[in-house]
């Protein structure tokens, strides 16, 4: 993570509890030297907790870095339209805990291959719905990954997937 060296870091006076914020607080790039020159001050512990929370949230966004034991169920699961092969935009994707209901209401979508393992191991999707999890790239993505020319229309390439999803 790249740190903004010009950002002001809140500090607290250990003796009287006075907090320096904003322009009064030292800049991140000067923090170590500033604290040596002002030994009665320490970085505000509330700022440290906030920084840790932000780092955890950033890590959760990227599915390969997710670990089941750290999941909350609020993570957005990437979805793919089985007819067009297009991925759904971030905010429109369902949360992991709402995935079953969302899939029931949206029969034209399936879980993206990047999320397949996580969704299976989460225990939040019944085995009977595993046919809604894509196991590999589809349509033009498959051709790009294999370095081949696109031979089939993406809709035709997805016909097998969509027919397996028919209820």
């Amino acid at each position: 993570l790249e740190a903004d060296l010009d950002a002001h870091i809140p500090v607290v006076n250990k003796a009287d509890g006075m907090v320096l914020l904003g322009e009064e607080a030292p800049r991140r790039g000067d923090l170590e030297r500033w604290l040596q020159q002002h030994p009665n001050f320490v970085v505000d512990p509330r700022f440290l907790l906030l920084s840790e929370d932000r780092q955890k949230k950033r890590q959760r966004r990227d599915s390969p870095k997710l670990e089941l034991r750290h999941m909350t169920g609020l993570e957005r699961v990437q979805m793919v339209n089985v007819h067009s092969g297009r991925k759904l935009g971030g905010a429109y994707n369902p949360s992991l805990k709402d995935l079953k209901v969302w899939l029931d209401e949206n029969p034209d979508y399936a879980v993206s291959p990047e999320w397949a393992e996580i969704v299976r191991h989460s225990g939040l999707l019944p085995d009977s719905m595993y046919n809604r999890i894509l196991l590999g790239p589809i349509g033009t993505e498959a051709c790009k990954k294999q370095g081949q020319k696109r031979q089939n229309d993406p809709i035709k390439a997805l016909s097998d997937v969509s027919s397996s999803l028919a209820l």
Side-chain angles (χ1 to χ4, degrees), residues 32-82:
E32 191 173 332
R33 183 176 46 80
W34 191 92
L35 288 171
Q36 288 174 350
Q37 294 173 351
H38 302 87
N40 289 339
F41 282 88
V42 294
V43 175
D44 187 340
R46 294 171 293 190
F47 173 78
L48 295 174
L49 290 174
L50 182 62
S51 282
E52 288 176 14
D53 287 346
R54 286 183 181 165
Q55 287 175 356
K56 287 178 186 175
K57 285 180 185 175
R58 282 187 194 124
Q59 182 178 2
R60 272 191 210 123
R61 291 183 187 155
D62 190 11
S63 65
K65 292 182 181 177
L66 290 173
E67 293 183 31
L68 285 174
R69 61 190 166 129
H70 296 297
M71 295 183 113
T72 64
L74 300 176
E75 296 80 9
R76 298 276 178 190
V77 178
Q78 180 69 61
M79 304 304 293
V80 177
N81 184 300
V82 295

Short mmCIF file of all heavy atoms in Angstrom, two decimals, residues 32-82:
data_model
loop_
_atom_site.label_atom_id
_atom_site.label_comp_id
_atom_site.label_asym_id
_atom_site.label_seq_id
_atom_site.Cartn_x
_atom_site.Cartn_y
_atom_site.Cartn_z
N GLU A 32 8.14 10.32 12.25
CA GLU A 32 9.16 9.72 13.13
C GLU A 32 10.05 10.80 13.75
O GLU A 32 10.28 10.81 14.96
CB GLU A 32 10.00 8.72 12.34
CG GLU A 32 10.90 7.88 13.22
CD GLU A 32 11.59 6.79 12.42
OE1 GLU A 32 11.05 6.34 11.40
OE2 GLU A 32 12.70 6.41 12.84
N ARG A 33 10.53 11.72 12.93
CA ARG A 33 11.38 12.80 13.43
C ARG A 33 10.59 13.69 14.40
O ARG A 33 11.09 14.08 15.46
CB ARG A 33 11.91 13.63 12.26
CG ARG A 33 12.88 14.74 12.66
CD ARG A 33 13.46 15.49 11.47
NE ARG A 33 12.50 15.87 10.44
CZ ARG A 33 11.69 16.94 10.51
NH1 ARG A 33 11.72 17.70 11.57
NH2 ARG A 33 10.87 17.22 9.53
N TRP A 34 9.33 13.99 14.05
CA TRP A 34 8.50 14.86 14.89
C TRP A 34 8.28 14.23 16.27
O TRP A 34 8.37 14.90 17.28
CB TRP A 34 7.15 15.12 14.20
CG TRP A 34 6.34 16.20 14.85
CD1 TRP A 34 6.33 17.52 14.53
CD2 TRP A 34 5.43 16.05 15.95
NE1 TRP A 34 5.47 18.20 15.36
CE2 TRP A 34 4.91 17.32 16.25
CE3 TRP A 34 5.01 14.97 16.71
CZ2 TRP A 34 3.99 17.55 17.26
CZ3 TRP A 34 4.09 15.20 17.73
CH2 TRP A 34 3.59 16.46 17.99
N LEU A 35 8.01 12.93 16.31
CA LEU A 35 7.80 12.24 17.59
C LEU A 35 9.07 12.22 18.43
O LEU A 35 9.00 12.29 19.67
CB LEU A 35 7.28 10.82 17.35
CG LEU A 35 5.84 10.71 16.85
CD1 LEU A 35 5.52 9.27 16.46
CD2 LEU A 35 4.85 11.22 17.89
N GLN A 36 10.24 12.12 17.80
CA GLN A 36 11.50 12.18 18.55
C GLN A 36 11.70 13.56 19.16
O GLN A 36 12.21 13.69 20.27
CB GLN A 36 12.68 11.82 17.64
CG GLN A 36 12.73 10.35 17.27
CD GLN A 36 13.81 10.04 16.26
OE1 GLN A 36 14.41 10.93 15.67
NE2 GLN A 36 14.03 8.75 16.01
N GLN A 37 11.29 14.59 18.45
CA GLN A 37 11.42 15.97 18.94
C GLN A 37 10.35 16.30 19.99
O GLN A 37 10.53 17.24 20.76
CB GLN A 37 11.30 16.97 17.78
CG GLN A 37 12.44 16.88 16.80
CD GLN A 37 12.20 17.76 15.57
OE1 GLN A 37 11.13 18.31 15.37
NE2 GLN A 37 13.24 17.87 14.74
N HIS A 38 9.26 15.56 20.02
CA HIS A 38 8.16 15.79 20.95
C HIS A 38 7.85 14.48 21.69
O HIS A 38 6.85 13.82 21.40
CB HIS A 38 6.91 16.29 20.21
CG HIS A 38 7.13 17.54 19.44
ND1 HIS A 38 7.59 17.55 18.14
CD2 HIS A 38 6.95 18.84 19.80
CE1 HIS A 38 7.68 18.80 17.72
NE2 HIS A 38 7.30 19.61 18.71
N PRO A 39 8.69 14.09 22.65
CA PRO A 39 8.56 12.78 23.29
C PRO A 39 7.28 12.60 24.11
O PRO A 39 6.94 11.47 24.45
CB PRO A 39 9.81 12.70 24.18
CG PRO A 39 10.29 14.10 24.34
CD PRO A 39 9.84 14.86 23.14
N ASN A 40 6.56 13.69 24.43
CA ASN A 40 5.32 13.56 25.20
C ASN A 40 4.13 13.17 24.33
O ASN A 40 3.03 12.96 24.84
CB ASN A 40 4.99 14.87 25.93
CG ASN A 40 5.94 15.12 27.08
OD1 ASN A 40 6.57 14.19 27.58
ND2 ASN A 40 6.05 16.36 27.50
N PHE A 41 4.33 13.09 23.01
CA PHE A 41 3.25 12.77 22.09
C PHE A 41 3.40 11.36 21.53
O PHE A 41 4.51 10.86 21.36
CB PHE A 41 3.21 13.76 20.91
CG PHE A 41 2.60 15.08 21.26
CD1 PHE A 41 3.37 16.10 21.80
CD2 PHE A 41 1.25 15.32 21.04
CE1 PHE A 41 2.82 17.33 22.11
CE2 PHE A 41 0.68 16.54 21.35
CZ PHE A 41 1.47 17.55 21.89
N VAL A 42 2.24 10.73 21.25
CA VAL A 42 2.18 9.44 20.57
C VAL A 42 1.09 9.52 19.49
O VAL A 42 0.21 10.39 19.55
CB VAL A 42 1.84 8.27 21.53
CG1 VAL A 42 2.97 8.05 22.54
CG2 VAL A 42 0.53 8.50 22.23
N VAL A 43 1.15 8.63 18.53
CA VAL A 43 0.10 8.58 17.51
C VAL A 43 -1.21 8.21 18.19
O VAL A 43 -1.26 7.31 19.03
CB VAL A 43 0.45 7.56 16.40
CG1 VAL A 43 -0.69 7.40 15.40
CG2 VAL A 43 1.73 7.97 15.69
N ASP A 44 -2.28 8.92 17.83
CA ASP A 44 -3.60 8.68 18.42
C ASP A 44 -4.01 7.23 18.14
O ASP A 44 -4.09 6.81 16.98
CB ASP A 44 -4.61 9.64 17.79
CG ASP A 44 -5.97 9.59 18.46
OD1 ASP A 44 -6.28 8.58 19.13
OD2 ASP A 44 -6.74 10.56 18.30
N PRO A 45 -4.27 6.42 19.18
CA PRO A 45 -4.61 5.01 18.99
C PRO A 45 -5.88 4.81 18.15
O PRO A 45 -6.01 3.81 17.44
CB PRO A 45 -4.82 4.46 20.41
CG PRO A 45 -4.50 5.55 21.34
CD PRO A 45 -4.20 6.78 20.58
N ARG A 46 -6.79 5.76 18.19
CA ARG A 46 -8.01 5.65 17.37
C ARG A 46 -7.65 5.69 15.88
O ARG A 46 -8.27 5.03 15.07
CB ARG A 46 -9.00 6.76 17.70
CG ARG A 46 -9.55 6.62 19.14
CD ARG A 46 -10.33 7.82 19.50
NE ARG A 46 -9.38 8.96 19.59
CZ ARG A 46 -9.71 10.14 20.08
NH1 ARG A 46 -10.91 10.39 20.50
NH2 ARG A 46 -8.81 11.10 20.13
N PHE A 47 -6.62 6.46 15.54
CA PHE A 47 -6.17 6.52 14.15
C PHE A 47 -5.59 5.18 13.72
O PHE A 47 -5.82 4.72 12.62
CB PHE A 47 -5.13 7.63 13.97
CG PHE A 47 -4.51 7.64 12.61
CD1 PHE A 47 -5.19 8.16 11.52
CD2 PHE A 47 -3.26 7.09 12.40
CE1 PHE A 47 -4.62 8.14 10.26
CE2 PHE A 47 -2.68 7.07 11.15
CZ PHE A 47 -3.37 7.60 10.07
N LEU A 48 -4.83 4.54 14.62
CA LEU A 48 -4.24 3.24 14.30
C LEU A 48 -5.32 2.19 14.05
O LEU A 48 -5.22 1.40 13.12
CB LEU A 48 -3.31 2.78 15.42
CG LEU A 48 -2.06 3.64 15.63
CD1 LEU A 48 -1.30 3.17 16.86
CD2 LEU A 48 -1.18 3.64 14.40
N LEU A 49 -6.39 2.19 14.85
CA LEU A 49 -7.49 1.24 14.67
C LEU A 49 -8.19 1.49 13.34
O LEU A 49 -8.52 0.56 12.61
CB LEU A 49 -8.49 1.34 15.82
CG LEU A 49 -8.01 0.83 17.17
CD1 LEU A 49 -9.04 1.12 18.25
CD2 LEU A 49 -7.73 -0.66 17.10
N LEU A 50 -8.41 2.76 13.01
CA LEU A 50 -9.05 3.11 11.75
C LEU A 50 -8.20 2.65 10.57
O LEU A 50 -8.72 2.11 9.60
CB LEU A 50 -9.28 4.63 11.70
CG LEU A 50 -9.98 5.17 10.47
CD1 LEU A 50 -11.39 4.59 10.37
CD2 LEU A 50 -10.04 6.67 10.52
N SER A 51 -6.89 2.81 10.65
CA SER A 51 -5.99 2.38 9.58
C SER A 51 -6.06 0.87 9.38
O SER A 51 -6.11 0.39 8.25
CB SER A 51 -4.54 2.74 9.91
OG SER A 51 -4.30 4.08 9.68
N GLU A 52 -6.08 0.11 10.47
CA GLU A 52 -6.16 -1.35 10.37
C GLU A 52 -7.46 -1.78 9.72
O GLU A 52 -7.49 -2.67 8.89
CB GLU A 52 -6.03 -1.98 11.76
CG GLU A 52 -4.65 -1.90 12.34
CD GLU A 52 -4.58 -2.45 13.76
OE1 GLU A 52 -5.53 -3.12 14.19
OE2 GLU A 52 -3.57 -2.18 14.43
N ASP A 53 -8.59 -1.14 10.10
CA ASP A 53 -9.89 -1.48 9.52
C ASP A 53 -9.89 -1.22 8.02
O ASP A 53 -10.41 -2.01 7.25
CB ASP A 53 -11.01 -0.67 10.18
CG ASP A 53 -11.32 -1.15 11.59
OD1 ASP A 53 -10.87 -2.24 11.96
OD2 ASP A 53 -12.02 -0.41 12.31
N ARG A 54 -9.30 -0.12 7.58
CA ARG A 54 -9.27 0.21 6.16
C ARG A 54 -8.45 -0.82 5.39
O ARG A 54 -8.81 -1.21 4.29
CB ARG A 54 -8.68 1.60 5.94
CG ARG A 54 -9.64 2.69 6.32
CD ARG A 54 -9.06 4.04 6.03
NE ARG A 54 -9.99 5.08 6.43
CZ ARG A 54 -9.68 6.34 6.58
NH1 ARG A 54 -8.45 6.74 6.34
NH2 ARG A 54 -10.58 7.22 6.95
N GLN A 55 -7.33 -1.27 5.97
CA GLN A 55 -6.51 -2.27 5.29
C GLN A 55 -7.26 -3.58 5.15
O GLN A 55 -7.20 -4.24 4.12
CB GLN A 55 -5.20 -2.49 6.05
CG GLN A 55 -4.24 -1.33 5.91
CD GLN A 55 -2.99 -1.51 6.76
OE1 GLN A 55 -2.88 -2.46 7.52
NE2 GLN A 55 -2.07 -0.58 6.64
N LYS A 56 -8.02 -3.99 6.19
CA LYS A 56 -8.78 -5.22 6.13
C LYS A 56 -9.87 -5.13 5.05
O LYS A 56 -10.10 -6.07 4.32
CB LYS A 56 -9.42 -5.53 7.48
CG LYS A 56 -8.43 -5.99 8.51
CD LYS A 56 -9.10 -6.24 9.83
CE LYS A 56 -8.08 -6.58 10.91
NZ LYS A 56 -8.71 -6.71 12.23
N LYS A 57 -10.55 -3.99 4.95
CA LYS A 57 -11.59 -3.82 3.94
C LYS A 57 -11.01 -3.89 2.54
O LYS A 57 -11.59 -4.47 1.65
CB LYS A 57 -12.32 -2.49 4.14
CG LYS A 57 -13.27 -2.52 5.32
CD LYS A 57 -13.97 -1.20 5.49
CE LYS A 57 -14.82 -1.22 6.74
NZ LYS A 57 -15.42 0.06 7.02
N ARG A 58 -9.84 -3.27 2.32
CA ARG A 58 -9.21 -3.33 1.01
C ARG A 58 -8.87 -4.75 0.63
O ARG A 58 -9.03 -5.17 -0.50
CB ARG A 58 -7.94 -2.48 0.99
CG ARG A 58 -8.20 -1.02 0.87
CD ARG A 58 -6.90 -0.25 0.68
NE ARG A 58 -7.14 1.14 0.90
CZ ARG A 58 -6.50 1.89 1.76
NH1 ARG A 58 -5.54 1.37 2.49
NH2 ARG A 58 -6.80 3.15 1.92
N GLN A 59 -8.40 -5.53 1.59
CA GLN A 59 -8.00 -6.91 1.31
C GLN A 59 -9.21 -7.76 0.92
O GLN A 59 -9.12 -8.60 0.06
CB GLN A 59 -7.32 -7.52 2.52
CG GLN A 59 -6.84 -8.94 2.28
CD GLN A 59 -6.14 -9.52 3.48
OE1 GLN A 59 -6.04 -8.88 4.52
NE2 GLN A 59 -5.67 -10.73 3.34
N ARG A 60 -10.37 -7.53 1.51
CA ARG A 60 -11.55 -8.33 1.25
C ARG A 60 -12.08 -8.19 -0.17
O ARG A 60 -12.78 -9.04 -0.65
CB ARG A 60 -12.68 -7.93 2.21
CG ARG A 60 -12.63 -8.69 3.46
CD ARG A 60 -13.90 -8.47 4.26
NE ARG A 60 -13.53 -8.58 5.63
CZ ARG A 60 -13.71 -7.67 6.55
NH1 ARG A 60 -14.32 -6.56 6.26
NH2 ARG A 60 -13.31 -7.85 7.77
N ARG A 61 -11.76 -7.09 -0.83
CA ARG A 61 -12.31 -6.85 -2.15
C ARG A 61 -11.78 -7.80 -3.21
O ARG A 61 -12.43 -8.06 -4.20
CB ARG A 61 -12.01 -5.42 -2.58
CG ARG A 61 -12.78 -4.41 -1.78
CD ARG A 61 -12.49 -3.04 -2.28
NE ARG A 61 -13.11 -2.07 -1.39
CZ ARG A 61 -12.70 -0.85 -1.23
NH1 ARG A 61 -11.68 -0.40 -1.91
NH2 ARG A 61 -13.30 -0.04 -0.41
N ASP A 62 -10.60 -8.32 -3.01
CA ASP A 62 -9.96 -9.16 -4.02
C ASP A 62 -10.18 -10.62 -3.66
O ASP A 62 -9.60 -11.13 -2.72
CB ASP A 62 -8.47 -8.81 -4.08
CG ASP A 62 -7.79 -9.46 -5.26
OD1 ASP A 62 -8.48 -10.00 -6.13
OD2 ASP A 62 -6.55 -9.41 -5.31
N SER A 63 -10.99 -11.34 -4.43
CA SER A 63 -11.38 -12.69 -4.06
C SER A 63 -10.23 -13.67 -3.82
O SER A 63 -10.32 -14.47 -2.91
CB SER A 63 -12.36 -13.27 -5.08
OG SER A 63 -11.73 -13.42 -6.32
N PRO A 64 -9.13 -13.66 -4.60
CA PRO A 64 -8.08 -14.64 -4.31
C PRO A 64 -7.44 -14.46 -2.92
O PRO A 64 -6.88 -15.39 -2.38
CB PRO A 64 -7.05 -14.38 -5.41
CG PRO A 64 -7.80 -13.75 -6.51
CD PRO A 64 -8.88 -12.94 -5.83
N LYS A 65 -7.53 -13.28 -2.35
CA LYS A 65 -6.93 -13.04 -1.05
C LYS A 65 -7.88 -13.37 0.10
O LYS A 65 -7.50 -13.35 1.26
CB LYS A 65 -6.49 -11.58 -0.92
CG LYS A 65 -5.35 -11.21 -1.84
CD LYS A 65 -4.94 -9.80 -1.63
CE LYS A 65 -3.81 -9.40 -2.56
NZ LYS A 65 -3.44 -8.01 -2.39
N LEU A 66 -9.14 -13.64 -0.22
CA LEU A 66 -10.12 -13.91 0.82
C LEU A 66 -9.85 -15.25 1.50
O LEU A 66 -9.48 -16.22 0.86
CB LEU A 66 -11.52 -13.93 0.22
CG LEU A 66 -12.07 -12.59 -0.23
CD1 LEU A 66 -13.39 -12.82 -0.95
CD2 LEU A 66 -12.26 -11.64 0.91
N GLU A 67 -10.06 -15.27 2.78
CA GLU A 67 -9.96 -16.51 3.54
C GLU A 67 -11.30 -16.72 4.21
O GLU A 67 -11.88 -15.79 4.75
CB GLU A 67 -8.86 -16.42 4.58
CG GLU A 67 -7.46 -16.34 3.99
CD GLU A 67 -6.40 -16.31 5.07
OE1 GLU A 67 -6.62 -16.92 6.14
OE2 GLU A 67 -5.36 -15.69 4.84
N LEU A 68 -11.79 -17.94 4.18
CA LEU A 68 -13.12 -18.22 4.72
C LEU A 68 -13.26 -17.81 6.18
O LEU A 68 -14.29 -17.32 6.58
CB LEU A 68 -13.43 -19.71 4.57
CG LEU A 68 -13.78 -20.14 3.15
CD1 LEU A 68 -13.94 -21.64 3.09
CD2 LEU A 68 -15.04 -19.46 2.67
N ARG A 69 -12.22 -17.98 6.96
CA ARG A 69 -12.34 -17.67 8.38
C ARG A 69 -12.47 -16.17 8.64
O ARG A 69 -12.91 -15.77 9.71
CB ARG A 69 -11.16 -18.25 9.15
CG ARG A 69 -9.83 -17.70 8.71
CD ARG A 69 -8.68 -18.47 9.33
NE ARG A 69 -7.48 -18.13 8.61
CZ ARG A 69 -6.37 -17.75 9.18
NH1 ARG A 69 -6.28 -17.69 10.49
NH2 ARG A 69 -5.32 -17.44 8.46
N HIS A 70 -12.12 -15.34 7.65
CA HIS A 70 -12.23 -13.89 7.82
C HIS A 70 -13.45 -13.30 7.11
O HIS A 70 -13.64 -12.11 7.12
CB HIS A 70 -10.97 -13.19 7.29
CG HIS A 70 -9.73 -13.55 8.04
ND1 HIS A 70 -9.55 -13.27 9.37
CD2 HIS A 70 -8.61 -14.20 7.65
CE1 HIS A 70 -8.38 -13.70 9.76
NE2 HIS A 70 -7.78 -14.29 8.73
N MET A 71 -14.25 -14.14 6.49
CA MET A 71 -15.39 -13.65 5.72
C MET A 71 -16.54 -13.27 6.63
O MET A 71 -16.78 -13.90 7.65
CB MET A 71 -15.83 -14.69 4.71
CG MET A 71 -14.78 -14.97 3.67
SD MET A 71 -15.40 -16.11 2.48
CE MET A 71 -15.45 -15.03 1.10
N THR A 72 -17.26 -12.25 6.20
CA THR A 72 -18.41 -11.76 6.96
C THR A 72 -19.73 -12.11 6.29
O THR A 72 -20.78 -12.00 6.91
CB THR A 72 -18.34 -10.23 7.11
OG1 THR A 72 -18.44 -9.64 5.82
CG2 THR A 72 -17.06 -9.80 7.80
N GLY A 73 -19.68 -12.48 5.01
CA GLY A 73 -20.90 -12.72 4.25
C GLY A 73 -21.34 -11.48 3.48
O GLY A 73 -22.25 -11.52 2.68
N LEU A 74 -20.67 -10.35 3.74
CA LEU A 74 -21.01 -9.10 3.06
C LEU A 74 -20.21 -8.90 1.78
O LEU A 74 -20.44 -7.94 1.04
CB LEU A 74 -20.78 -7.91 3.99
CG LEU A 74 -21.60 -7.92 5.28
CD1 LEU A 74 -21.21 -6.75 6.17
CD2 LEU A 74 -23.08 -7.90 4.97
N GLU A 75 -19.27 -9.81 1.49
CA GLU A 75 -18.44 -9.70 0.31
C GLU A 75 -19.31 -9.84 -0.94
O GLU A 75 -20.22 -10.67 -0.98
CB GLU A 75 -17.36 -10.79 0.30
CG GLU A 75 -16.37 -10.68 1.43
CD GLU A 75 -16.87 -11.23 2.75
OE1 GLU A 75 -17.92 -11.87 2.81
OE2 GLU A 75 -16.18 -11.01 3.76
N ARG A 76 -19.02 -9.04 -1.95
CA ARG A 76 -19.78 -9.08 -3.21
C ARG A 76 -19.21 -10.19 -4.10
O ARG A 76 -18.02 -10.23 -4.36
CB ARG A 76 -19.69 -7.75 -3.94
CG ARG A 76 -20.29 -6.61 -3.17
CD ARG A 76 -21.75 -6.57 -3.41
NE ARG A 76 -22.35 -5.49 -2.63
CZ ARG A 76 -23.64 -5.35 -2.51
NH1 ARG A 76 -24.45 -6.18 -3.11
NH2 ARG A 76 -24.14 -4.38 -1.79
N VAL A 77 -20.07 -11.07 -4.57
CA VAL A 77 -19.68 -12.19 -5.41
C VAL A 77 -19.83 -11.79 -6.87
O VAL A 77 -20.91 -11.36 -7.30
CB VAL A 77 -20.55 -13.43 -5.10
CG1 VAL A 77 -20.18 -14.60 -6.01
CG2 VAL A 77 -20.41 -13.83 -3.64
N GLN A 78 -18.77 -11.94 -7.66
CA GLN A 78 -18.80 -11.58 -9.08
C GLN A 78 -19.73 -12.52 -9.84
O GLN A 78 -19.61 -13.73 -9.74
CB GLN A 78 -17.39 -11.68 -9.67
CG GLN A 78 -17.32 -11.32 -11.13
CD GLN A 78 -17.58 -9.86 -11.40
OE1 GLN A 78 -16.85 -9.01 -10.92
NE2 GLN A 78 -18.61 -9.57 -12.15
N MET A 79 -20.65 -11.94 -10.61
CA MET A 79 -21.63 -12.71 -11.38
C MET A 79 -21.41 -12.51 -12.87
O MET A 79 -20.92 -11.46 -13.29
CB MET A 79 -23.06 -12.28 -11.01
CG MET A 79 -23.37 -12.37 -9.52
SD MET A 79 -23.12 -13.99 -8.81
CE MET A 79 -24.40 -14.90 -9.62
N VAL A 80 -21.78 -13.53 -13.67
CA VAL A 80 -21.63 -13.49 -15.12
C VAL A 80 -22.98 -13.81 -15.76
O VAL A 80 -23.64 -14.77 -15.37
CB VAL A 80 -20.58 -14.53 -15.59
CG1 VAL A 80 -20.46 -14.54 -17.10
CG2 VAL A 80 -19.24 -14.25 -14.94
N ASN A 81 -23.37 -13.03 -16.77
CA ASN A 81 -24.57 -13.31 -17.54
C ASN A 81 -24.26 -14.51 -18.44
O ASN A 81 -23.33 -14.44 -19.24
CB ASN A 81 -24.99 -12.10 -18.37
CG ASN A 81 -26.28 -12.34 -19.10
OD1 ASN A 81 -26.39 -13.24 -19.91
ND2 ASN A 81 -27.27 -11.52 -18.81
N VAL A 82 -25.03 -15.58 -18.31
CA VAL A 82 -24.73 -16.81 -19.05
C VAL A 82 -25.07 -16.70 -20.53
O VAL A 82 -24.62 -17.52 -21.34
CB VAL A 82 -25.44 -18.04 -18.44
CG1 VAL A 82 -24.91 -18.32 -17.05
CG2 VAL A 82 -26.94 -17.87 -18.43
#
